[in-house]
mmCIF file of all heavy atoms in Angstrom:
data_model
loop_
_atom_site.group_PDB
_atom_site.id
_atom_site.type_symbol
_atom_site.label_atom_id
_atom_site.label_comp_id
_atom_site.label_asym_id
_atom_site.label_seq_id
_atom_site.Cartn_x
_atom_site.Cartn_y
_atom_site.Cartn_z
ATOM 1 N N ILE A 16 -6.043 9.368 5.405
ATOM 2 C CA ILE A 16 -7.132 8.705 6.120
ATOM 3 C C ILE A 16 -6.928 8.864 7.625
ATOM 4 O O ILE A 16 -5.843 9.220 8.088
ATOM 5 C CB ILE A 16 -7.223 7.199 5.765
ATOM 6 C CG1 ILE A 16 -5.898 6.498 6.065
ATOM 7 C CG2 ILE A 16 -7.629 7.005 4.321
ATOM 8 C CD1 ILE A 16 -5.928 4.994 5.848
ATOM 9 N N SER A 17 -7.984 8.578 8.379
ATOM 10 C CA SER A 17 -7.903 8.701 9.830
ATOM 11 C C SER A 17 -7.098 7.546 10.411
ATOM 12 O O SER A 17 -6.936 6.495 9.778
ATOM 13 C CB SER A 17 -9.302 8.694 10.442
ATOM 14 O OG SER A 17 -9.909 7.422 10.272
ATOM 15 N N LYS A 18 -6.620 7.742 11.620
ATOM 16 C CA LYS A 18 -5.874 6.693 12.313
ATOM 17 C C LYS A 18 -6.744 5.456 12.490
ATOM 18 O O LYS A 18 -6.278 4.321 12.326
ATOM 19 C CB LYS A 18 -5.412 7.221 13.671
ATOM 20 C CG LYS A 18 -4.576 6.243 14.465
ATOM 21 C CD LYS A 18 -4.134 6.865 15.784
ATOM 22 C CE LYS A 18 -3.307 5.879 16.604
ATOM 23 N NZ LYS A 18 -2.859 6.487 17.884
ATOM 24 N N GLU A 19 -8.030 5.649 12.800
ATOM 25 C CA GLU A 19 -8.951 4.545 13.016
ATOM 26 C C GLU A 19 -9.122 3.713 11.745
ATOM 27 O O GLU A 19 -9.085 2.476 11.770
ATOM 28 C CB GLU A 19 -10.313 5.057 13.491
ATOM 29 C CG GLU A 19 -10.320 5.665 14.890
ATOM 30 C CD GLU A 19 -9.640 7.023 14.959
ATOM 31 O OE1 GLU A 19 -9.555 7.700 13.901
ATOM 32 O OE2 GLU A 19 -9.188 7.401 16.058
ATOM 33 N N LYS A 20 -9.314 4.395 10.609
ATOM 34 C CA LYS A 20 -9.486 3.699 9.331
ATOM 35 C C LYS A 20 -8.200 2.971 8.946
ATOM 36 O O LYS A 20 -8.239 1.862 8.407
ATOM 37 C CB LYS A 20 -9.881 4.693 8.238
ATOM 38 C CG LYS A 20 -10.267 4.026 6.928
ATOM 39 C CD LYS A 20 -10.822 5.042 5.932
ATOM 40 C CE LYS A 20 -11.267 4.343 4.651
ATOM 41 N NZ LYS A 20 -11.809 5.314 3.672
ATOM 42 N N TYR A 21 -7.073 3.600 9.243
ATOM 43 C CA TYR A 21 -5.765 3.001 8.959
ATOM 44 C C TYR A 21 -5.629 1.652 9.663
ATOM 45 O O TYR A 21 -5.265 0.646 9.044
ATOM 46 C CB TYR A 21 -4.672 3.969 9.404
ATOM 47 C CG TYR A 21 -3.281 3.396 9.443
ATOM 48 C CD1 TYR A 21 -2.482 3.377 8.303
ATOM 49 C CD2 TYR A 21 -2.748 2.868 10.618
ATOM 50 C CE1 TYR A 21 -1.201 2.854 8.341
ATOM 51 C CE2 TYR A 21 -1.480 2.342 10.664
ATOM 52 C CZ TYR A 21 -0.696 2.340 9.525
ATOM 53 O OH TYR A 21 0.565 1.818 9.563
ATOM 54 N N PHE A 22 -5.967 1.611 10.958
ATOM 55 C CA PHE A 22 -5.816 0.378 11.722
ATOM 56 C C PHE A 22 -6.886 -0.658 11.370
ATOM 57 O O PHE A 22 -6.642 -1.861 11.479
ATOM 58 C CB PHE A 22 -5.802 0.672 13.221
ATOM 59 C CG PHE A 22 -4.464 1.182 13.705
ATOM 60 C CD1 PHE A 22 -4.275 2.519 13.982
ATOM 61 C CD2 PHE A 22 -3.399 0.313 13.846
ATOM 62 C CE1 PHE A 22 -3.035 2.981 14.407
ATOM 63 C CE2 PHE A 22 -2.159 0.761 14.266
ATOM 64 C CZ PHE A 22 -1.976 2.107 14.549
ATOM 65 N N ARG A 23 -8.058 -0.199 10.927
ATOM 66 C CA ARG A 23 -9.074 -1.152 10.463
ATOM 67 C C ARG A 23 -8.576 -1.885 9.220
ATOM 68 O O ARG A 23 -8.727 -3.098 9.099
ATOM 69 C CB ARG A 23 -10.395 -0.427 10.156
ATOM 70 C CG ARG A 23 -11.232 -0.097 11.371
ATOM 71 C CD ARG A 23 -12.695 0.103 11.002
ATOM 72 N NE ARG A 23 -12.880 1.104 9.969
ATOM 73 C CZ ARG A 23 -13.021 2.411 10.209
ATOM 74 N NH1 ARG A 23 -12.991 2.864 11.458
ATOM 75 N NH2 ARG A 23 -13.206 3.259 9.215
ATOM 76 N N LYS A 24 -7.991 -1.121 8.302
ATOM 77 C CA LYS A 24 -7.465 -1.729 7.089
ATOM 78 C C LYS A 24 -6.271 -2.636 7.403
ATOM 79 O O LYS A 24 -6.092 -3.693 6.807
ATOM 80 C CB LYS A 24 -7.027 -0.637 6.103
ATOM 81 C CG LYS A 24 -8.175 0.048 5.364
ATOM 82 C CD LYS A 24 -7.638 1.132 4.445
ATOM 83 C CE LYS A 24 -8.714 1.715 3.557
ATOM 84 N NZ LYS A 24 -9.109 0.821 2.465
ATOM 85 N N LEU A 25 -5.471 -2.208 8.365
ATOM 86 C CA LEU A 25 -4.266 -2.948 8.713
ATOM 87 C C LEU A 25 -4.580 -4.324 9.295
ATOM 88 O O LEU A 25 -3.753 -5.226 9.258
ATOM 89 C CB LEU A 25 -3.431 -2.145 9.711
ATOM 90 C CG LEU A 25 -2.001 -2.645 9.979
ATOM 91 C CD1 LEU A 25 -1.212 -2.723 8.677
ATOM 92 C CD2 LEU A 25 -1.296 -1.722 10.959
ATOM 93 N N ASN A 26 -5.790 -4.491 9.820
ATOM 94 C CA ASN A 26 -6.202 -5.795 10.343
ATOM 95 C C ASN A 26 -6.136 -6.875 9.272
ATOM 96 O O ASN A 26 -5.933 -8.045 9.551
ATOM 97 C CB ASN A 26 -7.625 -5.730 10.921
ATOM 98 C CG ASN A 26 -7.657 -5.032 12.270
ATOM 99 O OD1 ASN A 26 -6.673 -5.017 12.990
ATOM 100 N ND2 ASN A 26 -8.794 -4.445 12.614
ATOM 101 N N ASN A 27 -6.321 -6.444 8.019
ATOM 102 C CA ASN A 27 -6.198 -7.373 6.891
ATOM 103 C C ASN A 27 -4.729 -7.396 6.456
ATOM 104 O O ASN A 27 -4.363 -6.940 5.384
ATOM 105 C CB ASN A 27 -7.093 -6.920 5.734
ATOM 106 C CG ASN A 27 -7.212 -7.981 4.653
ATOM 107 O OD1 ASN A 27 -6.581 -9.032 4.716
ATOM 108 N ND2 ASN A 27 -8.019 -7.700 3.660
ATOM 109 N N TYR A 28 -3.873 -7.935 7.332
ATOM 110 C CA TYR A 28 -2.429 -7.834 7.151
ATOM 111 C C TYR A 28 -1.916 -8.550 5.912
ATOM 112 O O TYR A 28 -0.844 -8.223 5.391
ATOM 113 C CB TYR A 28 -1.702 -8.365 8.399
ATOM 114 C CG TYR A 28 -1.868 -9.845 8.624
ATOM 115 C CD1 TYR A 28 -0.926 -10.744 8.150
ATOM 116 C CD2 TYR A 28 -2.976 -10.350 9.306
ATOM 117 C CE1 TYR A 28 -1.078 -12.106 8.342
ATOM 118 C CE2 TYR A 28 -3.130 -11.707 9.503
ATOM 119 C CZ TYR A 28 -2.187 -12.580 9.025
ATOM 120 O OH TYR A 28 -2.345 -13.923 9.208
ATOM 121 N N GLU A 29 -2.661 -9.528 5.417
ATOM 122 C CA GLU A 29 -2.193 -10.262 4.243
ATOM 123 C C GLU A 29 -2.314 -9.426 2.970
ATOM 124 O O GLU A 29 -1.630 -9.690 1.986
ATOM 125 C CB GLU A 29 -2.976 -11.561 4.089
ATOM 126 C CG GLU A 29 -2.667 -12.587 5.174
ATOM 127 C CD GLU A 29 -3.386 -13.900 4.953
ATOM 128 O OE1 GLU A 29 -4.262 -13.941 4.063
ATOM 129 O OE2 GLU A 29 -3.073 -14.869 5.643
ATOM 130 N N SER A 30 -3.194 -8.423 3.002
ATOM 131 C CA SER A 30 -3.419 -7.599 1.814
ATOM 132 C C SER A 30 -2.597 -6.317 1.810
ATOM 133 O O SER A 30 -2.366 -5.731 0.754
ATOM 134 C CB SER A 30 -4.904 -7.233 1.693
ATOM 135 O OG SER A 30 -5.691 -8.390 1.536
ATOM 136 N N TYR A 31 -2.186 -5.869 2.996
ATOM 137 C CA TYR A 31 -1.507 -4.578 3.090
ATOM 138 C C TYR A 31 -0.116 -4.686 3.694
ATOM 139 O O TYR A 31 0.179 -5.572 4.491
ATOM 140 C CB TYR A 31 -2.329 -3.608 3.947
ATOM 141 C CG TYR A 31 -3.609 -3.144 3.293
ATOM 142 C CD1 TYR A 31 -4.819 -3.764 3.578
ATOM 143 C CD2 TYR A 31 -3.611 -2.100 2.382
ATOM 144 C CE1 TYR A 31 -5.999 -3.349 2.977
ATOM 145 C CE2 TYR A 31 -4.783 -1.673 1.767
ATOM 146 C CZ TYR A 31 -5.971 -2.305 2.076
ATOM 147 O OH TYR A 31 -7.133 -1.898 1.478
ATOM 148 N N LEU A 32 0.713 -3.729 3.297
ATOM 149 C CA LEU A 32 2.056 -3.592 3.824
ATOM 150 C C LEU A 32 2.206 -2.155 4.299
ATOM 151 O O LEU A 32 1.714 -1.226 3.658
ATOM 152 C CB LEU A 32 3.069 -3.888 2.707
ATOM 153 C CG LEU A 32 4.518 -4.127 3.088
ATOM 154 C CD1 LEU A 32 4.660 -5.415 3.890
ATOM 155 C CD2 LEU A 32 5.364 -4.227 1.816
ATOM 156 N N VAL A 33 2.880 -1.952 5.431
ATOM 157 C CA VAL A 33 3.071 -0.601 5.968
ATOM 158 C C VAL A 33 4.403 -0.042 5.482
ATOM 159 O O VAL A 33 5.447 -0.679 5.611
ATOM 160 C CB VAL A 33 3.053 -0.608 7.511
ATOM 161 C CG1 VAL A 33 3.347 0.796 8.042
ATOM 162 C CG2 VAL A 33 1.711 -1.080 8.028
ATOM 163 N N ILE A 34 4.348 1.151 4.926
ATOM 164 C CA ILE A 34 5.555 1.856 4.518
ATOM 165 C C ILE A 34 5.709 3.080 5.408
ATOM 166 O O ILE A 34 4.814 3.931 5.471
ATOM 167 C CB ILE A 34 5.489 2.312 3.043
ATOM 168 C CG1 ILE A 34 5.295 1.106 2.120
ATOM 169 C CG2 ILE A 34 6.736 3.099 2.658
ATOM 170 C CD1 ILE A 34 6.421 0.112 2.139
ATOM 171 N N LEU A 35 6.823 3.166 6.124
ATOM 172 C CA LEU A 35 7.110 4.351 6.927
ATOM 173 C C LEU A 35 7.900 5.306 6.043
ATOM 174 O O LEU A 35 9.109 5.167 5.879
ATOM 175 C CB LEU A 35 7.919 3.976 8.173
ATOM 176 C CG LEU A 35 8.162 5.092 9.187
ATOM 177 C CD1 LEU A 35 6.847 5.594 9.775
ATOM 178 C CD2 LEU A 35 9.087 4.607 10.300
ATOM 179 N N LYS A 36 7.184 6.253 5.442
ATOM 180 C CA LYS A 36 7.815 7.169 4.495
ATOM 181 C C LYS A 36 8.803 8.086 5.196
ATOM 182 O O LYS A 36 9.873 8.391 4.681
ATOM 183 C CB LYS A 36 6.735 7.990 3.774
ATOM 184 C CG LYS A 36 7.266 8.792 2.597
ATOM 185 C CD LYS A 36 6.128 9.461 1.846
ATOM 186 C CE LYS A 36 6.639 10.214 0.634
ATOM 187 N NZ LYS A 36 5.548 10.889 -0.108
ATOM 188 N N ASN A 37 8.429 8.553 6.367
ATOM 189 C CA ASN A 37 9.310 9.347 7.218
ATOM 190 C C ASN A 37 8.788 9.254 8.651
ATOM 191 O O ASN A 37 7.900 8.452 8.933
ATOM 192 C CB ASN A 37 9.388 10.815 6.730
ATOM 193 C CG ASN A 37 8.013 11.430 6.529
ATOM 194 O OD1 ASN A 37 7.160 11.370 7.409
ATOM 195 N ND2 ASN A 37 7.780 12.007 5.352
ATOM 196 N N ASP A 38 9.329 10.065 9.544
ATOM 197 C CA ASP A 38 8.950 9.978 10.963
ATOM 198 C C ASP A 38 7.498 10.342 11.232
ATOM 199 O O ASP A 38 6.972 10.061 12.317
ATOM 200 C CB ASP A 38 9.854 10.880 11.810
ATOM 201 C CG ASP A 38 11.282 10.361 11.866
ATOM 202 O OD1 ASP A 38 11.462 9.153 11.602
ATOM 203 O OD2 ASP A 38 12.193 11.144 12.159
ATOM 204 N N SER A 39 6.854 10.973 10.284
ATOM 205 C CA SER A 39 5.484 11.432 10.536
ATOM 206 C C SER A 39 4.472 10.945 9.498
ATOM 207 O O SER A 39 3.336 11.404 9.474
ATOM 208 C CB SER A 39 5.450 12.965 10.587
ATOM 209 O OG SER A 39 5.874 13.514 9.357
ATOM 210 N N THR A 40 4.874 10.020 8.634
ATOM 211 C CA THR A 40 3.968 9.551 7.577
ATOM 212 C C THR A 40 4.010 8.033 7.425
ATOM 213 O O THR A 40 5.069 7.458 7.196
ATOM 214 C CB THR A 40 4.332 10.193 6.218
ATOM 215 O OG1 THR A 40 4.352 11.608 6.344
ATOM 216 C CG2 THR A 40 3.312 9.796 5.153
ATOM 217 N N LYS A 41 2.852 7.407 7.566
ATOM 218 C CA LYS A 41 2.722 5.975 7.329
ATOM 219 C C LYS A 41 1.767 5.749 6.161
ATOM 220 O O LYS A 41 0.710 6.367 6.089
ATOM 221 C CB LYS A 41 2.192 5.260 8.575
ATOM 222 C CG LYS A 41 3.207 5.153 9.700
ATOM 223 C CD LYS A 41 2.657 4.330 10.858
ATOM 224 C CE LYS A 41 3.704 4.158 11.951
ATOM 225 N NZ LYS A 41 3.195 3.349 13.083
ATOM 226 N N ILE A 42 2.154 4.856 5.263
ATOM 227 C CA ILE A 42 1.350 4.569 4.077
ATOM 228 C C ILE A 42 0.987 3.096 4.046
ATOM 229 O O ILE A 42 1.850 2.230 4.216
ATOM 230 C CB ILE A 42 2.115 4.939 2.791
ATOM 231 C CG1 ILE A 42 2.555 6.405 2.827
ATOM 232 C CG2 ILE A 42 1.279 4.666 1.556
ATOM 233 C CD1 ILE A 42 3.489 6.792 1.699
ATOM 234 N N LEU A 43 -0.293 2.825 3.828
ATOM 235 C CA LEU A 43 -0.745 1.447 3.631
ATOM 236 C C LEU A 43 -0.666 1.130 2.138
ATOM 237 O O LEU A 43 -1.268 1.818 1.323
ATOM 238 C CB LEU A 43 -2.188 1.285 4.105
ATOM 239 C CG LEU A 43 -2.425 0.966 5.574
ATOM 240 C CD1 LEU A 43 -3.921 0.848 5.820
ATOM 241 C CD2 LEU A 43 -1.730 -0.316 5.996
ATOM 242 N N VAL A 44 0.069 0.107 1.811
ATOM 243 C CA VAL A 44 0.243 -0.261 0.407
ATOM 244 C C VAL A 44 -0.374 -1.630 0.167
ATOM 245 O O VAL A 44 -0.116 -2.579 0.920
ATOM 246 C CB VAL A 44 1.745 -0.300 0.047
ATOM 247 C CG1 VAL A 44 1.937 -0.773 -1.386
ATOM 248 C CG2 VAL A 44 2.373 1.066 0.239
ATOM 249 N N LEU A 45 -1.194 -1.742 -0.861
ATOM 250 C CA LEU A 45 -1.710 -3.054 -1.259
ATOM 251 C C LEU A 45 -0.545 -3.914 -1.718
ATOM 252 O O LEU A 45 0.257 -3.494 -2.554
ATOM 253 C CB LEU A 45 -2.733 -2.906 -2.389
ATOM 254 C CG LEU A 45 -4.140 -2.486 -1.973
ATOM 255 C CD1 LEU A 45 -4.959 -2.106 -3.192
ATOM 256 C CD2 LEU A 45 -4.832 -3.610 -1.203
ATOM 257 N N ARG A 46 -0.448 -5.107 -1.181
ATOM 258 C CA ARG A 46 0.710 -5.941 -1.480
ATOM 259 C C ARG A 46 0.717 -6.435 -2.922
ATOM 260 O O ARG A 46 1.776 -6.629 -3.515
ATOM 261 C CB ARG A 46 0.765 -7.130 -0.518
ATOM 262 C CG ARG A 46 0.857 -6.706 0.934
ATOM 263 C CD ARG A 46 1.204 -7.843 1.835
ATOM 264 N NE ARG A 46 2.598 -8.219 1.650
ATOM 265 C CZ ARG A 46 3.208 -9.157 2.377
ATOM 266 N NH1 ARG A 46 2.524 -9.813 3.291
ATOM 267 N NH2 ARG A 46 4.466 -9.459 2.167
ATOM 268 N N GLU A 47 -0.460 -6.631 -3.486
ATOM 269 C CA GLU A 47 -0.534 -7.063 -4.881
ATOM 270 C C GLU A 47 -1.016 -5.924 -5.756
ATOM 271 O O GLU A 47 -1.942 -5.201 -5.405
ATOM 272 C CB GLU A 47 -1.476 -8.250 -5.023
ATOM 273 C CG GLU A 47 -1.492 -8.821 -6.434
ATOM 274 C CD GLU A 47 -2.419 -10.020 -6.564
ATOM 275 O OE1 GLU A 47 -1.974 -11.135 -6.252
ATOM 276 O OE2 GLU A 47 -3.581 -9.826 -6.941
ATOM 277 N N ASN A 48 -0.366 -5.764 -6.879
ATOM 278 C CA ASN A 48 -0.707 -4.672 -7.789
ATOM 279 C C ASN A 48 -0.761 -5.206 -9.221
ATOM 280 O O ASN A 48 0.119 -5.954 -9.642
ATOM 281 C CB ASN A 48 0.350 -3.568 -7.675
ATOM 282 C CG ASN A 48 -0.009 -2.340 -8.487
ATOM 283 O OD1 ASN A 48 -1.176 -2.005 -8.633
ATOM 284 N ND2 ASN A 48 0.993 -1.668 -9.019
ATOM 285 N N GLN A 49 -1.813 -4.823 -9.944
ATOM 286 C CA GLN A 49 -1.942 -5.228 -11.343
ATOM 287 C C GLN A 49 -2.045 -3.992 -12.223
ATOM 288 O O GLN A 49 -2.631 -2.987 -11.823
ATOM 289 C CB GLN A 49 -3.188 -6.096 -11.540
ATOM 290 C CG GLN A 49 -3.158 -7.396 -10.776
ATOM 291 C CD GLN A 49 -4.354 -8.277 -11.099
ATOM 292 O OE1 GLN A 49 -4.655 -8.534 -12.260
ATOM 293 N NE2 GLN A 49 -5.035 -8.754 -10.060
ATOM 294 N N GLY A 50 -1.473 -4.083 -13.387
ATOM 295 C CA GLY A 50 -1.534 -2.937 -14.288
ATOM 296 C C GLY A 50 -1.024 -3.291 -15.672
ATOM 297 O O GLY A 50 -0.852 -4.463 -16.022
ATOM 298 N N LYS A 51 -0.770 -2.243 -16.443
ATOM 299 C CA LYS A 51 -0.262 -2.438 -17.803
ATOM 300 C C LYS A 51 0.672 -1.297 -18.167
ATOM 301 O O LYS A 51 0.340 -0.126 -17.955
ATOM 302 C CB LYS A 51 -1.424 -2.514 -18.807
ATOM 303 C CG LYS A 51 -0.975 -2.882 -20.214
ATOM 304 C CD LYS A 51 -2.142 -3.228 -21.106
ATOM 305 C CE LYS A 51 -1.651 -3.702 -22.465
ATOM 306 N NZ LYS A 51 -2.759 -4.136 -23.332
ATOM 307 N N LEU A 52 1.843 -1.653 -18.688
ATOM 308 C CA LEU A 52 2.817 -0.657 -19.125
ATOM 309 C C LEU A 52 2.751 -0.502 -20.641
ATOM 310 O O LEU A 52 2.671 -1.495 -21.367
ATOM 311 C CB LEU A 52 4.236 -1.079 -18.736
ATOM 312 C CG LEU A 52 4.589 -1.084 -17.251
ATOM 313 C CD1 LEU A 52 6.045 -1.511 -17.076
ATOM 314 C CD2 LEU A 52 4.376 0.283 -16.634
ATOM 315 N N LYS A 53 2.798 0.738 -21.101
ATOM 316 C CA LYS A 53 2.722 0.990 -22.537
ATOM 317 C C LYS A 53 4.043 0.675 -23.247
ATOM 318 O O LYS A 53 4.050 0.089 -24.320
ATOM 319 C CB LYS A 53 2.333 2.441 -22.793
ATOM 320 C CG LYS A 53 0.900 2.776 -22.398
ATOM 321 C CD LYS A 53 0.568 4.229 -22.716
ATOM 322 C CE LYS A 53 -0.877 4.556 -22.347
ATOM 323 N NZ LYS A 53 -1.214 5.976 -22.634
ATOM 324 N N LYS A 54 5.155 1.071 -22.637
ATOM 325 C CA LYS A 54 6.455 0.914 -23.291
ATOM 326 C C LYS A 54 7.189 -0.318 -22.790
ATOM 327 O O LYS A 54 8.372 -0.284 -22.460
ATOM 328 C CB LYS A 54 7.294 2.168 -23.062
ATOM 329 C CG LYS A 54 6.688 3.426 -23.672
ATOM 330 C CD LYS A 54 7.572 4.630 -23.449
ATOM 331 C CE LYS A 54 6.957 5.883 -24.079
ATOM 332 N NZ LYS A 54 7.810 7.087 -23.871
ATOM 333 N N ILE A 55 6.482 -1.432 -22.745
ATOM 334 C CA ILE A 55 7.056 -2.645 -22.181
ATOM 335 C C ILE A 55 8.198 -3.197 -23.038
ATOM 336 O O ILE A 55 9.200 -3.701 -22.507
ATOM 337 C CB ILE A 55 5.958 -3.718 -21.975
ATOM 338 C CG1 ILE A 55 6.546 -4.922 -21.221
ATOM 339 C CG2 ILE A 55 5.332 -4.125 -23.295
ATOM 340 C CD1 ILE A 55 7.080 -4.607 -19.850
ATOM 341 N N LYS A 56 8.068 -3.127 -24.345
ATOM 342 C CA LYS A 56 9.116 -3.665 -25.207
ATOM 343 C C LYS A 56 10.422 -2.911 -24.994
ATOM 344 O O LYS A 56 11.503 -3.510 -24.915
ATOM 345 C CB LYS A 56 8.701 -3.594 -26.681
ATOM 346 C CG LYS A 56 9.674 -4.307 -27.614
ATOM 347 C CD LYS A 56 9.161 -4.349 -29.045
ATOM 348 C CE LYS A 56 10.129 -5.108 -29.944
ATOM 349 N NZ LYS A 56 9.645 -5.179 -31.351
ATOM 350 N N GLN A 57 10.330 -1.593 -24.891
ATOM 351 C CA GLN A 57 11.507 -0.768 -24.649
ATOM 352 C C GLN A 57 12.147 -1.121 -23.303
ATOM 353 O O GLN A 57 13.370 -1.234 -23.193
ATOM 354 C CB GLN A 57 11.112 0.713 -24.662
ATOM 355 C CG GLN A 57 12.273 1.668 -24.432
ATOM 356 C CD GLN A 57 11.811 3.120 -24.419
ATOM 357 O OE1 GLN A 57 10.778 3.466 -24.991
ATOM 358 N NE2 GLN A 57 12.577 3.970 -23.764
ATOM 359 N N LEU A 58 11.311 -1.325 -22.293
ATOM 360 C CA LEU A 58 11.818 -1.687 -20.972
ATOM 361 C C LEU A 58 12.555 -3.020 -21.018
ATOM 362 O O LEU A 58 13.684 -3.147 -20.516
ATOM 363 C CB LEU A 58 10.660 -1.757 -19.969
ATOM 364 C CG LEU A 58 10.993 -2.074 -18.507
ATOM 365 C CD1 LEU A 58 9.984 -1.412 -17.567
ATOM 366 C CD2 LEU A 58 10.995 -3.588 -18.230
#
């Protein structure tokens, strides 16, 4: 995404977390995640 869109989303700081993957990559991560695992019993 563009730098502008990145900072617009970042304004909602309660929903997103910034991950600095390396010196040249920043990732916006949703702080809450929902899903379903198939092999849950094994885990």
Side-chain angles (χ1 to χ4, degrees):
I16 57 176
S17 67
K18 182 179 179 179
E19 292 72 23
K20 188 173 183 180
Y21 168 86
F22 281 104
R23 281 202 305 272
K24 283 178 172 286
L25 192 57
N26 285 334
N27 191 356
Y28 67 94
E29 291 184 350
S30 298
Y31 290 97
L32 194 66
V33 176
I34 301 297
L35 187 63
K36 190 174 182 181
N37 51 51
D38 291 339
S39 61
T40 305
K41 287 185 177 181
I42 304 171
L43 273 180
V44 176
L45 280 168
R46 301 192 72 176
E47 185 179 276
N48 186 33
Q49 297 185 51
K51 187 168 185 176
L52 291 181
K53 291 182 179 179
K54 297 181 179 180
I55 187 61
K56 188 174 182 179
Q57 181 182 336
L58 182 150

